[in-house]
Amino acid sequence: MTILIDKKTRILVQGITGREGYFHTQAMLDYGSSVVAGTTPGKGGQEIEGLPVFDSVIEAKEQFPKLNASIIFVPARFAADAATEAVDAGIKVVTVITEHIPIHDEMRFIELARRQGSYVVGPNTPGIISPGQCKLGIMPAHVFTPGRIGLISRSGTLTYEVAASLTDAGFGQSTAIGLGGDPIVGMSFVDALKLFEEDKETDATVLIGEIGGSAEEEAAIFIKENISKPVIAYIAGRTAPKGKRMGHAGAIVSGKTGTADGKIKALRKAGAIVIDRPIDVDEALQKIL
Amino acid sequence: MTILIDKKTRILVQGITGREGYFHTQAMLDYGSSVVAGTTPGKGGQEIEGLPVFDSVIEAKEQFPKLNASIIFVPARFAADAATEAVDAGIKVVTVITEHIPIHDEMRFIELARRQGSYVVGPNTPGIISPGQCKLGIMPAHVFTPGRIGLISRSGTLTYEVAASLTDAGFGQSTAIGLGGDPIVGMSFVDALKLFEEDKETDATVLIGEIGGSAEEEAAIFIKENISKPVIAYIAGRTAPKGKRMGHAGAIVSGKTGTADGKIKALRKAGAIVIDRPIDVDEALQKIL
Amino acid sequence: MRLFEYEAKEAFHQVGLPLPPSGLATTAEEAAKIAKELGGPVVIKAQVLAGGRGKAGGIKFADTPNEAKSVAEELLQMTIHEHAVHRVLVEQRLEIQQEIYLGITIDRSQRRPVAICSAMGGVDIEQVAEAHPEKITRFWVDPIFGLRDFEARNIAKNAGFEGKAMIQVADMLLRLWQVFIRNDAELTEINPLIVTTKGEYIAADARLNIDDNSLFRHKTLAERVSSGISEQTELEQRAQKAGMTYVELEGNIGIIGNGAGLVMATMDAVKYYGGAPANFLDVGGGATAERMSQALDIVLSHPDVEAVFINILGGITRCDEIAQGIVDAQPKLPRKVPIVIRMIGTREKEGAAILEAANIPFLDSMDTAAKRVVNLVSEVDSA
Amino acid sequence: MRLFEYEAKEAFHQVGLPLPPSGLATTAEEAAKIAKELGGPVVIKAQVLAGGRGKAGGIKFADTPNEAKSVAEELLQMTIHEHAVHRVLVEQRLEIQQEIYLGITIDRSQRRPVAICSAMGGVDIEQVAEAHPEKITRFWVDPIFGLRDFEARNIAKNAGFEGKAMIQVADMLLRLWQVFIRNDAELTEINPLIVTTKGEYIAADARLNIDDNSLFRHKTLAERVSSGISEQTELEQRAQKAGMTYVELEGNIGIIGNGAGLVMATMDAVKYYGGAPANFLDVGGGATAERMSQALDIVLSHPDVEAVFINILGGITRCDEIAQGIVDAQPKLPRKVPIVIRMIGTREKEGAAILEAANIPFLDSMDTAAKRVVNLVSEVDSA
């Protein structure tokens, strides 16, 4: 089993006629994901890679009632509307690749999704992959391999780094989720940990955090109280200075909040194994599994 | 039995320190209604007629957890906030006496109430009375008497006129509801008819409509399909011209919509007995009960 | 409150809705000057607070400044549905490829704003709704969320627009939504929204009715109301200032009552017995003797009134105040006509005493009173 | 983006928040003139985009125009936390009865705006939060509904305000909410909100940080950014214009990588082996040879850099583009320093061929590469 997406996932690409949307539609199809349709307002009726393009999500959903996931490549100023449209149409997993969406817009569509019971993954995420079953994202697929380790990360390339280490060491992944690099994101470590805990085919979870916010501290509290499976954690940004955004809009130490040290301490206290280098994930897993 | 309010109703008066709020608090207490507290922001800590005044509904609710109804005498520009506050605090029956509330504000708090499962009675209503049990309104109580007829009306004084006729003829009322004279009101004829149909101690319902909108036409459709108890209807405004507001903001014939004739025809078709004069209610009831 | 076209267009301009180049004129000379500045053919539109302006001849065309002058002169002397034309809007004439209807109003039964779009614009939308209901797309907007971009596109799509036209129509609808929200509108319309032969989308006409109850949030407009520019007759304005609602009708029996529903029922009762109401007058809740006295004066200022029916069911309104008002009014009344009074409710005994002391009779049944007033007028008429 | 105090106050003014009478001066003479116009004692505040201005001596008082002149002169020559003072705000000095804190920011974990109120204003709110957590009231606002009037009153009440003070504080908080919404704020604060001895409520200081991602909706502010007024260093601005993120640090090993998390991990790895990163540079996804070349140039413009570690894990980013960028940069580099490259992922073979052809060595393990670059720098230092 996997979480969020699997072989049955039917994908809608929002912004399919754009450069990025088109490129990654091909890549997802190449991976074997069931991309069934796309949208670009004003371009309904076209075809992209043999897939129908619709003006709206609701039209796509009428034609393909099994649509249950969407991936958004729409430019930042229109992305919130696209996410709202997907949630409103009842899409259950809405993955927002787009970076630079205004934070006020994000708060509103994430709140809406919460009320309607949809998962928002991102914004500013590489997406989700359940290796061998479905790729709903822009990650390079070759570093992932099917298996029993769950991977949750706030960072894109660092996810690939860790996934590559895991794959090299023979630890495949059940599902890998990029939570997104923005200060406000839909799905949190806690949400993902809960799903991996319930997933019978995940044995342990690797959590890749970074400076900024308190998502890792909240994860620690949740791990302590609710998670029985082993958690291995890596936190990036130990050497980052205060008050500076480190690339990701969300990666910033504000006052005493969001330091790597604070997160590492909290996770250790909660019983997670915190590793110092991505490469150490192999050894850590060997010990516990 | 009655609908919406009864002996167990615990009332909060919003705007209790104002002239109207104060006057009608006394009148409701005189009638025997259980008014338990009031609010006026900035005047928390005072007492009115021995009742505590709070700054907020939430404070009142904390002190009196059984509070389940509110009546609003707040000036028009603050009334929408008061209604929102009551709905947000979980008050089940929110009666808005205030007239001249902006219609955009009304749409928003009525929508909120719908989502939260509260009834909004009004705005611009005389309120509700379950004779002998509870008066949550500003109507002159002496024209009402306990009994088994339900009364639903869009007009204040006309309700008293009909209630007086009923009382004189020996027909008491289970509950009488003023829906309010604004174009947009919370509770509709349909909502009230549904409650009277379910109420074991209501034998028949008198519906007092007027020109404007299509609430009576919608009631007619509902009566035909869902109501087994007799309905007697009176529609005011047969002689009203097109395009003029007849006192109530909602009493206006727009194009072909909202005419008395249209409403009368629809109600007759649905099996309601439509009377020509308020005084005829007596005879109509004698025939059917 | 209905706004003039040029006022509605100012509100449209504020949200970036494209409009034809134009100028407002109060004289024929000004109109000619604007036409000259605009260059080319113009359309000149009477600015009145009334519907059906086009059919009444309030919209005219002119090809030259001279022609504009004579056309404006003509319009500025017109009266449309009893409204004198004080201003004309001179606009560049557009070359029309298509006419679209866009509107947002409030659906009473759904308790929500409803956005309406039709590819058949330029004519009365209610006629389209009757003849071609399938040509009209309606969408009910959640009042908490507001109209969202994708919803606007869906509306345009459902109304038959594709590709860039869909995007354009949706964009204009979203801007119209801003007009609706910012101005507390009861109704706002672009009819027609014109697609020019060059493919531009332009709001050729503009309608905007504002909720009177929201005027405290719209100070400039509130001032206009207080300055007396309105659709109401003089007597209606006088009543409003006194806190009452008065509507002029065509009969000869003056009607005064407390509560809108009761007054309507009173009119209906008069009609039931063969009479014809001359007006609707609701003195409102808790009327004082002073206000009652004013009410009588207003009703009798209408020359057709031959008798007055006062119907009071006292609740908040006190019968003694009403009775005192009737007594006080007697010496000041513009003329003597028979007055039939029905009065019951709060303080009815005290009120009765006042009337009896002044030798003014009254009844306690609305029905009997209606019959009596109708008979009195018949006697007068046959006398 | 952080606004200057005077800019934040302009935003405050637009929603009707009461402010002290004031004027903005760029010279001592102007400051004196403003002080004269205001009359009475003034406070003169350095306008810089940095916190801790008060402690750094950037706020001074003056009783006369002459004194204002000399104080302004002094301030205009200051540099506060590396920011030169170009403007001072001259404000009427208020007679203080009470200082209150009001703020609205975004709570990342709740994914909602949080409104914060405290009767202990005028000091750093984070210190109050630590020393007297019970003196701070927080309320999480529903981003769909927005802050509602009754909620604002509840916040003020919970913060200890009663009666008219509660109404006043709530009113100011609602206006601050308007500032927050209209300006796409990440943070807005009134600290202190002053209650004068006359009982007036006045926003004495103003803070407003705007979400950079929203600048397309705020054209005036976007222009300010493009005109170069910002908190960033020159190199940081250069990187931003080139579409990269660069942060200056205090070490001597330049870091370049693709992806924020990977670059942070690279810095951490360097530190793990005893090295010190000189910067953070994320070339971003899908970097071209051109951009890679610029990245090297920016990193080497920092004089402390003694070696560079390039860490690429190709995904969208193609190793051949990166390799080509490194090769192209060689002849143009400001100076020669050892460069350690780790490169794997998309098109790694093609990239490898390019580097090999140019005789540039590279590795495939981040860990090995980190160790190597640290060793190289130690050799340089000990040489």
Side-chain angles (χ1 to χ4, degrees):
Chain A
M1 247 165 63
T2 55
I3 70 166
L4 292 167
I5 57 169
D6 58 23
K7 279 195 160 50
K8 289 182 194 151
T9 300
R10 295 290 172 273
I11 300 173
L12 176 74
V13 178
Q14 293 180 258
I16 195 170
T17 61
R19 204 174 61 88
E20 293 276 298
Y22 175 60
F23 178 82
H24 289 290
T25 297
Q26 285 181 309
M28 286 187 284
L29 286 170
D30 288 349
Y31 192 73
S33 298
S34 297
V35 183
V36 297
T39 60
T40 296
K43 300 202 173 168
Q46 298 186 4
E47 278 205 354
I48 290 280
E49 292 286 298
L51 302 175
V53 177
F54 294 96
D55 282 317
S56 67
V57 176
I58 200 75
E59 287 171 299
K61 192 93 165 88
E62 275 161 16
Q63 288 291 315
F64 298 95
K66 288 186 182 166
L67 263 183
N68 53 6
S70 113
I71 183 163
I72 295 177
F73 292 99
V74 170
R77 67 177 73 185
F78 308 114
D81 182 61
T84 307
E85 184 180 8
V87 170
D88 192 74
I91 305 281
K92 284 296 154 197
V93 179
V94 179
T95 307
V96 186
I97 305 300
T98 310
E99 197 179 356
H100 299 308
I101 301 176
I103 194 165
H104 282 229
D105 298 359
E106 291 178 348
M107 287 192 286
R108 278 189 291 268
F109 73 72
I110 289 170
E111 170 66 21
L112 185 74
R114 195 188 60 73
R115 294 191 193 182
Q116 311 266 37
S118 289
Y119 287 105
V120 168
V121 177
N124 192 10
T125 173
I128 324 171
I129 184 168
S130 290
Q133 301 204 30
C134 180
K135 168 176 143 169
L136 180 72
I138 61 171
M139 60 286 282
H142 66 273
V143 298
F144 298 91
T145 194
R148 302 179 62 89
I149 305 297
L151 190 53
I152 322 170
S153 171
R154 282 172 63 191
S155 153
T157 34
L158 201 46
T159 307
Y160 318 153
E161 185 79 43
V162 172
S165 291
L166 287 172
T167 296
D168 285 353
F171 292 107
Q173 304 89 41
S174 53
T175 300
I177 310 170
L179 300 178
D182 279 3
I184 295 279
V185 290
M187 175 167 262
S188 67
F189 282 120
V190 168
D191 299 328
L193 282 165
K194 200 184 295 176
L195 294 175
F196 280 126
E197 177 74 9
E198 289 161 7
D199 178 31
K200 286 183 187 149
E201 299 185 15
T202 296
D203 295 334
T205 305
V206 177
L207 182 160
I208 304 168
E210 64 185 30
I211 54 161
S214 56
E216 293 80 1
E217 287 85 340
E218 289 144 28
I221 294 169
F222 188 77
I223 289 167
K224 192 164 189 179
E225 292 174 2
N226 303 284
I227 300 296
S228 63
K229 298 178 183 176
V231 175
I232 293 165
Y234 172 77
I235 305 294
R238 298 178 186 214
T239 47
K242 280 190 186 181
K244 289 277 188 181
R245 286 188 202 279
M246 305 303 279
H248 286 156
I252 181 166
V253 175
S254 314
K256 290 176 183 168
T257 308
T259 65
D261 277 356
K263 293 171 189 295
I264 290 166
K265 267 185 205 147
L267 286 161
R268 285 218 167 107
K269 218 174 135 188
I273 300 163
V274 181
I275 55 176
D276 290 332
R277 300 173 303 177
I279 205 176
D280 298 334
V281 69
D282 173 16
E283 201 187 315
L285 278 173
Q286 303 283 9
K287 271 190 200 157
I288 55 170
L289 291 183
Chain B
M1 249 164 61
T2 56
I3 70 165
L4 292 167
I5 57 170
D6 57 24
K7 280 193 160 50
K8 290 182 194 152
T9 301
R10 295 291 173 273
I11 299 173
L12 175 73
V13 178
Q14 293 180 257
I16 195 170
T17 61
R19 203 174 61 89
E20 293 275 300
Y22 176 59
F23 178 81
H24 289 290
T25 297
Q26 285 181 309
M28 285 188 285
L29 286 169
D30 289 350
Y31 193 73
S33 298
S34 297
V35 183
V36 297
T39 60
T40 296
K43 300 201 173 169
Q46 297 187 5
E47 278 205 354
I48 291 281
E49 293 286 299
L51 302 176
V53 177
F54 295 95
D55 282 318
S56 67
V57 176
I58 200 74
E59 287 171 299
K61 192 90 167 90
E62 274 161 17
Q63 289 292 314
F64 299 95
K66 287 185 181 166
L67 262 181
N68 53 7
S70 116
I71 182 164
I72 294 176
F73 293 98
V74 170
R77 67 178 73 185
F78 308 114
D81 182 60
T84 307
E85 186 180 8
V87 169
D88 192 74
I91 306 281
K92 284 294 155 199
V93 179
V94 178
T95 307
V96 187
I97 306 298
T98 310
E99 198 179 355
H100 299 308
I101 302 176
I103 194 165
H104 282 228
D105 297 1
E106 292 178 347
M107 288 192 286
R108 279 189 290 268
F109 73 72
I110 289 170
E111 170 65 22
L112 185 73
R114 193 186 63 72
R115 293 190 194 183
Q116 311 266 36
S118 289
Y119 287 105
V120 168
V121 179
N124 191 9
T125 174
I128 324 171
I129 185 167
S130 290
Q133 301 205 29
C134 180
K135 168 176 142 168
L136 179 72
I138 61 171
M139 59 288 283
H142 65 273
V143 298
F144 297 91
T145 195
R148 304 179 60 88
I149 306 296
L151 190 53
I152 322 169
S153 172
R154 284 172 61 192
S155 155
T157 34
L158 201 47
T159 308
Y160 318 153
E161 186 78 43
V162 172
S165 291
L166 287 172
T167 296
D168 286 352
F171 292 106
Q173 304 88 43
S174 51
T175 299
I177 309 171
L179 301 179
D182 279 3
I184 293 280
V185 291
M187 174 167 264
S188 67
F189 283 120
V190 168
D191 299 328
L193 282 165
K194 200 184 294 177
L195 295 175
F196 280 127
E197 177 75 8
E198 288 161 7
D199 178 30
K200 287 184 186 147
E201 298 185 15
T202 296
D203 294 335
T205 305
V206 177
L207 180 159
I208 304 169
E210 64 186 30
I211 53 160
S214 56
E216 294 81 0
E217 286 86 340
E218 287 144 29
I221 294 169
F222 188 77
I223 289 167
K224 191 161 189 181
E225 291 174 1
N226 302 285
I227 300 297
S228 63
K229 298 179 184 176
V231 176
I232 293 164
Y234 172 77
I235 304 295
R238 298 177 186 215
T239 47
K242 282 189 184 180
K244 290 279 189 180
R245 283 187 204 282
M246 306 302 281
H248 286 156
I252 182 167
V253 176
S254 312
K256 291 177 182 168
T257 308
T259 66
D261 279 356
K263 293 170 189 300
I264 291 167
K265 269 185 204 147
L267 286 161
R268 287 220 165 106
K269 218 173 135 187
I273 300 164
V274 181
I275 56 176
D276 289 332
R277 300 173 304 176
I279 205 175
D280 298 335
V281 70
D282 174 13
E283 202 188 314
L285 277 174
Q286 302 285 9
K287 272 191 199 155
I288 54 170
L289 291 182
Chain C
M1 186 176 78
R2 182 177 180 141
L3 300 194
F4 287 108
E5 179 193 2
Y6 72 89
E7 293 174 312
K9 283 191 168 166
E10 176 52 35
F12 278 25
H13 177 67
Q14 279 168 18
V15 300
L17 275 168
L19 301 165
S22 73
L24 189 68
T26 55
T27 65
E29 289 69 30
E30 278 173 28
K33 201 178 151 207
I34 294 163
K36 199 174 164 192
E37 282 164 13
L38 292 174
V42 294
V43 52
I44 305 185
K45 299 192 270 185
Q47 300 295 293
V48 283
L49 296 171
R53 173 183 64 170
K55 281 183 196 157
I59 300 179
K60 297 198 178 290
F61 301 100
D63 287 331
T64 65
N66 261 344
E67 210 182 321
K69 188 176 170 184
S70 64
V71 161
E73 194 131 39
E74 197 184 325
L75 286 173
L76 286 164
Q77 282 162 9
M78 277 179 76
T79 295
I80 296 176
H81 302 308
E82 299 177 33
H83 292 77
V85 178
H86 296 299
R87 298 176 197 79
V88 293
L89 187 63
V90 184
E91 286 187 340
Q92 200 174 79
R93 203 162 154 188
L94 305 170
E95 296 190 34
I96 300 170
Q97 190 195 117
Q98 192 187 354
E99 291 185 295
I100 297 166
Y101 173 93
L102 283 184
I104 302 169
T105 181
I106 292 172
D107 184 314
R108 293 173 55 157
S109 63
Q110 295 295 320
R111 304 170 182 83
R112 288 188 169 206
V114 56
I116 304 167
C117 178
S118 172
M120 292 182 77
V123 291
D124 184 349
I125 195 68
E126 293 192 8
Q127 285 173 15
V128 179
E130 247 172 64
H132 304 282
E134 78 288 354
K135 297 282 186 191
I136 291 187
T137 297
R138 287 187 182 78
F139 180 80
W140 286 266
V141 182
D142 185 310
I144 293 175
F145 295 145
L147 182 65
R148 299 180 285 195
D149 295 14
F150 70 91
E151 293 170 334
R153 291 194 301 267
N154 290 347
I155 294 166
K157 181 84 189 270
N158 291 338
F161 298 97
E162 299 274 350
K164 279 184 187 161
M166 177 190 83
I167 303 286
Q168 279 279 4
V169 170
D171 178 72
M172 301 219 28
L173 187 55
L174 287 163
R175 291 178 196 274
L176 193 64
W177 174 258
Q178 286 306 315
V179 170
F180 181 78
I181 289 299
R182 289 194 193 179
N183 296 285
D184 275 290
E186 289 178 340
L187 165 72
T188 183
E189 262 180 13
I190 312 177
N191 189 24
L193 160 57
I194 280 177
V195 187
T196 67
T197 47
K198 285 180 193 158
E200 297 158 312
Y201 285 69
I202 295 177
D205 200 356
R207 192 166 164 195
L208 179 53
N209 294 4
I210 290 180
D211 175 13
D212 288 352
N213 290 339
S214 76
L215 285 177
F216 67 88
R217 292 198 278 243
H218 305 284
K219 286 186 183 146
T220 326
L221 292 168
E223 277 162 25
R224 208 196 73 183
V225 172
S226 65
S227 75
I229 303 172
S230 94
E231 293 163 272
Q232 296 177 319
T233 69
E234 203 194 307
L235 283 179
E236 285 170 1
Q237 284 183 47
R238 219 176 104 196
Q240 194 179 31
K241 270 178 200 157
M244 300 179 287
T245 311
Y246 174 82
V247 178
E248 229 165 274
L249 303 171
E250 313 212 314
N252 54 2
I253 299 176
I255 309 279
I256 298 174
N258 65 319
L262 186 68
V263 178
M264 277 190 273
T266 309
M267 286 163 50
D268 294 350
V270 162
K271 181 76 184 288
Y272 183 83
Y273 287 107
N279 71 276
F280 167 105
L281 194 157
D282 176 8
V283 292
T288 57
E290 164 72 16
R291 208 198 285 176
M292 186 60 210
S293 179
Q294 280 178 303
L296 262 170
D297 189 57
I298 288 169
V299 166
L300 286 169
S301 298
H302 189 323
D304 295 350
V305 170
E306 294 175 23
V308 177
F309 179 3
I310 300 175
N311 185 6
I312 300 296
L313 196 159
I316 314 176
T317 308
R318 288 162 42 174
C319 291
D320 53 349
E321 284 279 349
I322 295 293
Q324 194 58 52
I326 296 171
V327 171
D328 294 351
Q330 296 299 321
K332 298 174 285 180
L333 289 183
R335 57 208 168 83
K336 281 266 169 214
V337 300
I339 297 181
V340 176
I341 301 167
R342 182 271 184 138
M343 189 178 77
I344 62 165
T346 311
R347 288 186 169 257
E348 77 182 43
K349 275 179 206 161
E350 291 82 347
I354 294 168
L355 290 182
E356 276 156 13
N359 254 329
I360 301 174
F362 64 95
L363 300 164
D364 61 4
S365 154
M366 166 171 154
D367 203 55
T368 315
K371 219 181 295 181
R372 168 136 349 146
V373 76
V374 173
N375 286 338
L376 279 172
V377 169
S378 316
E379 284 163 27
V380 170
D381 288 349
S382 56
Chain D
M1 185 176 78
R2 182 177 181 141
L3 300 194
F4 288 108
E5 178 192 4
Y6 71 90
E7 293 174 311
K9 283 192 167 164
E10 176 53 35
F12 278 24
H13 176 68
Q14 279 167 18
V15 301
L17 276 168
L19 302 165
S22 73
L24 189 69
T26 54
T27 65
E29 290 69 30
E30 279 171 28
K33 201 180 151 206
I34 294 163
K36 199 174 165 191
E37 283 164 12
L38 292 174
V42 294
V43 52
I44 305 185
K45 301 191 270 185
Q47 300 296 293
V48 282
L49 296 172
R53 173 183 63 170
K55 281 183 197 158
I59 301 179
K60 298 199 178 289
F61 300 101
D63 287 332
T64 64
N66 261 344
E67 211 181 318
K69 188 176 168 184
S70 64
V71 160
E73 194 132 38
E74 197 183 323
L75 286 173
L76 287 163
Q77 282 162 8
M78 279 179 74
T79 296
I80 297 175
H81 302 307
E82 300 179 30
H83 292 77
V85 178
H86 297 298
R87 299 175 197 78
V88 292
L89 187 63
V90 185
E91 286 188 341
Q92 200 173 79
R93 205 165 153 185
L94 305 170
E95 295 190 33
I96 299 172
Q97 189 195 119
Q98 192 186 353
E99 292 185 294
I100 297 166
Y101 174 93
L102 285 184
I104 302 168
T105 181
I106 292 172
D107 184 315
R108 294 173 55 158
S109 64
Q110 295 295 319
R111 305 170 182 83
R112 287 187 169 208
V114 57
I116 304 166
C117 178
S118 173
M120 293 182 76
V123 291
D124 184 347
I125 195 68
E126 293 191 7
Q127 285 173 15
V128 179
E130 246 170 66
H132 304 281
E134 78 289 353
K135 297 282 187 193
I136 291 188
T137 298
R138 286 188 182 80
F139 179 82
W140 286 266
V141 182
D142 185 311
I144 292 174
F145 295 144
L147 182 65
R148 300 179 287 195
D149 294 13
F150 71 91
E151 293 171 334
R153 291 194 299 268
N154 291 347
I155 294 166
K157 181 85 190 269
N158 291 337
F161 298 97
E162 299 274 351
K164 280 185 186 161
M166 177 189 82
I167 303 284
Q168 279 279 4
V169 169
D171 178 72
M172 302 222 21
L173 187 54
L174 286 163
R175 291 178 196 274
L176 193 64
W177 174 258
Q178 285 306 314
V179 170
F180 182 77
I181 288 299
R182 290 194 194 179
N183 296 284
D184 275 289
E186 288 178 342
L187 165 73
T188 182
E189 263 182 11
I190 312 177
N191 188 24
L193 161 57
I194 280 178
V195 187
T196 67
T197 48
K198 287 180 192 158
E200 298 159 309
Y201 285 70
I202 295 177
D205 199 357
R207 193 167 164 193
L208 178 53
N209 295 3
I210 290 181
D211 175 14
D212 289 350
N213 290 340
S214 77
L215 285 176
F216 67 88
R217 292 199 278 244
H218 306 285
K219 288 191 181 142
T220 327
L221 292 167
E223 277 162 25
R224 208 196 75 183
V225 172
S226 64
S227 74
I229 303 171
S230 96
E231 294 164 89
Q232 296 176 319
T233 68
E234 202 194 307
L235 283 180
E236 285 169 0
Q237 285 182 47
R238 219 176 105 196
Q240 195 179 29
K241 273 179 200 156
M244 301 180 284
T245 313
Y246 174 82
V247 178
E248 230 164 274
L249 303 170
E250 315 211 313
N252 54 1
I253 298 177
I255 309 278
I256 298 173
N258 66 319
L262 186 68
V263 178
M264 278 191 272
T266 309
M267 285 162 51
D268 294 350
V270 162
K271 182 77 183 287
Y272 183 83
Y273 288 107
N279 71 277
F280 166 104
L281 194 156
D282 176 8
V283 291
T288 57
E290 163 71 16
R291 207 197 287 174
M292 187 60 209
S293 179
Q294 280 177 305
L296 262 170
D297 189 56
I298 288 168
V299 167
L300 285 169
S301 299
H302 189 322
D304 295 351
V305 170
E306 295 175 22
V308 178
F309 180 0
I310 300 174
N311 186 6
I312 301 296
L313 196 159
I316 313 176
T317 308
R318 286 161 44 173
C319 292
D320 54 348
E321 284 280 349
I322 296 293
Q324 193 59 52
I326 297 171
V327 171
D328 294 350
Q330 296 300 320
K332 299 175 284 181
L333 289 183
R335 54 206 171 85
K336 282 267 169 214
V337 299
I339 298 180
V340 175
I341 302 167
R342 182 271 185 140
M343 188 179 77
I344 61 164
T346 309
R347 287 187 169 254
E348 77 182 44
K349 275 179 205 162
E350 290 84 346
I354 293 168
L355 290 183
E356 277 158 10
N359 256 327
I360 301 172
F362 64 96
L363 300 163
D364 61 5
S365 155
M366 168 170 153
D367 203 57
T368 315
K371 218 181 298 181
R372 166 133 355 141
V373 78
V374 172
N375 287 340
L376 279 173
V377 170
S378 317
E379 285 164 24
V380 171
D381 289 350
S382 57

